[in-house]
Amino acid sequence: MSREQEQKVFLDNLLEHGFFIPMGEPGLFGRTSKFENIIKGLEALIVSATGEEEVTYFPPVMPRKILEKSGFMDSMPHLAGLVHCFCGNERELPALKEKMANKEDWGQMLSMTDLSHAPAACYPLYPTLSGTLPAGGRLVHLGTTCFRHEPSPDPTRMQSFRMRELVRVDSADNVLDWRESWFERAIDFLQKLGLKPERVEASDPFFGRGGRVMANNQREQKLKFELVVRVYENGPLLAVMSLNYHQDHFGTQFEIKTADGETAHSGCMGFGLERIVLALIQRHGYDVSAWPSEVTALLGLS
Amino acid sequence: MSREQEQKVFLDNLLEHGFFIPMGEPGLFGRTSKFENIIKGLEALIVSATGEEEVTYFPPVMPRKILEKSGFMDSMPHLAGLVHCFCGNERELPALKEKMANKEDWGQMLSMTDLSHAPAACYPLYPTLSGTLPAGGRLVHLGTTCFRHEPSPDPTRMQSFRMRELVRVDSADNVLDWRESWFERAIDFLQKLGLKPERVEASDPFFGRGGRVMANNQREQKLKFELVVRVYENGPLLAVMSLNYHQDHFGTQFEIKTADGETAHSGCMGFGLERIVLALIQRHGYDVSAWPSEVTALLGLS
């Protein structure tokens, strides 16, 4: 089977076996309790595996200025989602309705608001850390519904998806030590669920030709690792977790200082919730009651 | 205290007592585990009170065509959020970055995507019901993060908020009977949590002068009831639940038929999750451990 056929078969099965409800747009799915109960089990398992019980939840939208300040629009502008609204008055509404009725583009009659979507769980966090960190820095557990504009027929590549992230902010050494402490533990976390992850050097999906240079730098400096699993025989490997080191990028942009007064460095570990669950379904089958009992026990499903 | 002062005091207390984390935009808040644990308890209580264990979760974004088809842009265009993206190529990016650097409006360099925000939990549902319903119609329990563009300093009026909805779709009589069966039960649901709700005739926040006519019709025909509670001495009462009858509006737009072949009518009961929790905090205080034991028991917090 070709990659495209495998993706279609997987999606058809997810619909047929009652995990997803089609919404008529690529990368958007309604989710049933059958799917969400696995997500909830996974969220609880992340809490127990990390020991980080306190979770900060940001809404799916955030101040647009975070997108601007963070440099996201320079490096991955094609993935950003901005919130536009109709800010006109009653005299302007008929023209908008006419364009809509004629199936013309009415988007240009809207105005950009002060809000954008969160492209990753950690973006809304950084402005809240501006200033001086406590001694020992911070470790924050985040849960956010993220958005990336990348419509795809592959059910593992959603436009709206949930991430859990652990974000470590402190000196370079402490951030790198923390990240390294998770290399084996993260593999172990996924292996206990019956997955066969591999850790690979990776790069972000930077935009355009300039982006290729950025991606090469990122790989050379080993800033990004992904834990990948095989879900398609002929498809690309699926990244279900990532372990990132941002150097002082966010510390500089958002003026975050360590207790010593140095610009803070940051790193994060991201869990792609839907992707981990999809990898579990692909690995253990569509009948959750027939999954290995160790796995359902870990997920609180048995 | 003026209404504005009361709102500010409430918000300051929510921040100080560790329920919310400020995000620098009105109506957007990070939420702590302390707040979210109450939300989770409330979600479980809604399941047990309604007996509707199967929940359909839609993502915060939905196909834009639902917004167009449903008539939302005719009646409440000012509240809609559309998703715009940068769809340009590398030659166009420098101009966007320049506008951004100069603090000019770069929103007009973006394009409208096929996605919008969900303004209420039930919008993504209707296209999935197109066709003929089973005998007896459908009752669906939905959970969705909604968006409405109405920046406000009042913490009870968020731009991004979560709704649970029960949606009943069938003949007019069956939908109205179902709604009526909830009039007392909904009051009871809130009273058990220690709230003092009142049921009032209400209308949607329709746009402009034409909207006033629509609002009057809605009230006259008793299409919308809200359960309101007092959270501010001088503020407006807060709607925490609503009981709506849509007549055949969605049935017509989305071609939904009853088993008899008639155009289906629909109605819904909405629970404003954040609003109910905020009303509970306002009623029982900022120290959740000191809430009445009947209430914490119902919410699984004790």
Side-chain angles (χ1 to χ4, degrees), chain B residues 85-113:
Chain B
C85 284
F86 173 69
C87 297
N89 58 30
E90 275 181 283
R91 284 193 306 276
E92 292 162 86
L93 186 58
L96 185 142
K97 284 160 75 169
E98 198 187 320
K99 271 189 189 288
M100 198 181 290
N102 295 335
K103 312 260 181 218
E104 290 170 45
D105 178 11
W106 50 279
Q108 294 304 315
M109 298 190 65
L110 306 179
S111 310
M112 184 161 70
T113 67

Side-chain angles (χ1 to χ4, degrees), chain A residues 65-258:
Chain A
K65 56 178 179 256
I66 300 178
L67 212 60
E68 296 172 340
K69 211 169 174 180
S70 65
F72 191 86
M73 291 307 295
D74 298 330
S75 55
M76 291 174 265
H78 57 306
L79 299 179
L82 281 296
V83 182
H84 278 51
C85 284
F86 173 68
C87 298
N89 58 31
E90 276 181 283
R91 284 194 306 278
E92 292 161 85
L93 187 58
L96 184 142
K97 284 160 76 168
E98 197 187 321
K99 271 189 189 288
M100 198 181 289
N102 295 335
K103 312 260 181 220
E104 291 169 45
D105 177 11
W106 51 280
Q108 294 304 314
M109 297 190 65
L110 305 180
S111 310
M112 184 161 71
T113 69
D114 292 333
L115 308 180
S116 79
H117 290 256
C122 59
Y123 281 81
L125 174 70
Y126 300 114
T128 73
L129 300 179
S130 293
T132 301
L133 297 169
R138 289 283 304 274
L139 177 64
V140 186
H141 182 176
L142 299 169
T144 310
T145 299
C146 306
F147 177 84
R148 293 187 192 172
H149 182 240
E150 43 179 354
S152 163
D154 179 358
T156 68
R157 186 167 292 281
M158 298 188 192
Q159 298 198 72
S160 180
F161 57 95
R162 282 163 293 176
M163 277 173 84
R164 285 293 180 112
E165 265 191 49
L166 259 63
V167 183
R168 182 80 176 92
V169 193
D170 202 8
S171 67
D173 280 354
N174 286 351
V175 169
L176 282 166
D177 284 353
W178 172 80
R179 185 174 71 154
E180 205 177 316
S181 77
W182 272 102
F183 282 162
E184 287 305 309
R185 286 175 74 191
I187 292 273
D188 185 57
F189 176 84
L190 295 171
Q191 279 177 341
K192 283 199 172 121
L193 291 170
L195 299 177
K196 295 176 177 170
E198 216 183 306
R199 178 160 62 87
V200 298
E201 286 172 23
S203 61
D204 281 309
F206 296 115
F207 181 66
R209 269 170 310 178
R212 262 175 262 157
V213 179
M214 292 166 87
N216 286 339
N217 283 343
Q218 204 181 22
R219 276 176 205 269
E220 262 169 37
Q221 296 182 72
K222 300 188 193 307
L223 300 182
K224 187 179 191 72
F225 291 96
E226 288 177 341
L227 300 190
V228 297
V229 297
R230 180 162 293 290
V231 290
Y232 299 122
E233 276 188 43
N234 296 305
L237 293 166
L238 179 68
V240 292
M241 288 182 66
S242 66
L243 290 144
N244 307 291
Y245 172 44
H246 316 129
Q247 298 172 314
D248 61 356
H249 177 76
F250 293 111
T252 301
Q253 298 302 325
F254 293 95
E255 298 176 31
I256 310 167
K257 303 278 181 198
T258 66

Side-chain angles (χ1 to χ4, degrees), chain A residues 21-26 28-34 36-37 40 43 53-68 73-75 77-90 93 96-97 100 103-115 117 124 128 145 147 149 159-160 164 207-212, chain B residues 21-26 28-34 36-37 40 43 53-68 73-75 77-90 93 96-97 100 103-115 117 124 128 145 147 149 159-160 164 207-212:
Chain A
I21 294 162
M23 290 183 72
E25 285 294 334
L28 281 200
F29 305 105
R31 285 118 24 193
T32 61
S33 287
K34 183 175 176 180
E36 289 299 306
N37 287 342
K40 280 179 193 152
E43 288 176 324
E53 286 192 18
E54 175 59 33
V55 186
T56 300
Y57 301 86
F58 287 109
V61 286
M62 66 177 195
R64 166 167 54 85
K65 56 178 179 256
I66 300 178
L67 212 60
E68 296 172 340
M73 291 307 295
D74 298 330
S75 55
H78 57 306
L79 299 179
L82 281 296
V83 182
H84 278 51
C85 284
F86 173 68
C87 298
N89 58 31
E90 276 181 283
L93 187 58
L96 184 142
K97 284 160 76 168
M100 198 181 289
K103 312 260 181 220
E104 291 169 45
D105 177 11
W106 51 280
Q108 294 304 314
M109 297 190 65
L110 305 180
S111 310
M112 184 161 71
T113 69
D114 292 333
L115 308 180
H117 290 256
T128 73
T145 299
F147 177 84
H149 182 240
Q159 298 198 72
S160 180
R164 285 293 180 112
F207 181 66
R209 269 170 310 178
R212 262 175 262 157
Chain B
I21 294 163
M23 290 181 73
E25 285 294 335
L28 282 198
F29 305 104
R31 282 118 26 193
T32 61
S33 287
K34 184 175 176 180
E36 290 298 306
N37 288 341
K40 280 179 194 152
E43 288 176 324
E53 286 191 18
E54 174 60 32
V55 186
T56 299
Y57 301 86
F58 287 109
V61 287
M62 65 176 198
R64 167 167 54 86
K65 58 179 179 260
I66 299 177
L67 212 60
E68 297 171 340
M73 291 306 296
D74 298 330
S75 55
H78 56 306
L79 298 179
L82 282 295
V83 182
H84 278 52
C85 284
F86 173 69
C87 297
N89 58 30
E90 275 181 283
L93 186 58
L96 185 142
K97 284 160 75 169
M100 198 181 290
K103 312 260 181 218
E104 290 170 45
D105 178 11
W106 50 279
Q108 294 304 315
M109 298 190 65
L110 306 179
S111 310
M112 184 161 70
T113 67
D114 292 333
L115 307 180
H117 289 256
T128 73
T145 300
F147 176 85
H149 182 240
Q159 298 198 72
S160 180
R164 285 294 180 110
F207 181 66
R209 269 170 310 179
R212 261 174 262 157

Side-chain angles (χ1 to χ4, degrees), chain B residues 69-270:
Chain B
K69 211 169 175 179
S70 64
F72 191 86
M73 291 306 296
D74 298 330
S75 55
M76 290 174 265
H78 56 306
L79 298 179
L82 282 295
V83 182
H84 278 52
C85 284
F86 173 69
C87 297
N89 58 30
E90 275 181 283
R91 284 193 306 276
E92 292 162 86
L93 186 58
L96 185 142
K97 284 160 75 169
E98 198 187 320
K99 271 189 189 288
M100 198 181 290
N102 295 335
K103 312 260 181 218
E104 290 170 45
D105 178 11
W106 50 279
Q108 294 304 315
M109 298 190 65
L110 306 179
S111 310
M112 184 161 70
T113 67
D114 292 333
L115 307 180
S116 79
H117 289 256
C122 59
Y123 282 80
L125 174 70
Y126 300 113
T128 73
L129 301 178
S130 293
T132 301
L133 298 168
R138 288 285 303 275
L139 177 63
V140 186
H141 181 175
L142 299 169
T144 310
T145 300
C146 306
F147 176 85
R148 292 187 192 173
H149 182 240
E150 42 179 355
S152 162
D154 179 357
T156 68
R157 186 167 292 281
M158 298 188 192
Q159 298 198 72
S160 180
F161 57 94
R162 283 164 291 177
M163 277 172 83
R164 285 294 180 110
E165 264 191 49
L166 260 63
V167 184
R168 182 80 175 93
V169 194
D170 201 8
S171 67
D173 281 353
N174 286 351
V175 169
L176 282 167
D177 284 352
W178 171 81
R179 185 174 71 153
E180 205 177 317
S181 77
W182 271 102
F183 282 162
E184 287 305 311
R185 286 175 74 191
I187 292 271
D188 186 57
F189 175 84
L190 295 171
Q191 279 177 343
K192 282 200 173 119
L193 291 170
L195 300 177
K196 294 175 178 171
E198 216 183 307
R199 178 160 63 87
V200 297
E201 286 173 22
S203 61
D204 282 308
F206 295 116
F207 181 66
R209 269 170 310 179
R212 261 174 262 157
V213 180
M214 292 167 87
N216 287 340
N217 283 343
Q218 204 180 22
R219 276 174 205 270
E220 261 168 38
Q221 296 182 74
K222 298 188 195 307
L223 299 182
K224 186 177 192 73
F225 291 95
E226 287 177 342
L227 300 190
V228 296
V229 296
R230 180 162 293 289
V231 290
Y232 299 121
E233 278 190 42
N234 296 305
L237 293 166
L238 179 68
V240 293
M241 288 183 64
S242 66
L243 290 144
N244 308 291
Y245 172 44
H246 316 127
Q247 298 172 313
D248 61 355
H249 177 77
F250 293 111
T252 302
Q253 298 301 325
F254 293 96
E255 297 176 30
I256 309 167
K257 303 277 181 198
T258 66
D260 297 344
E262 302 291 319
T263 297
H265 286 232
S266 62
C268 67
M269 173 167 63

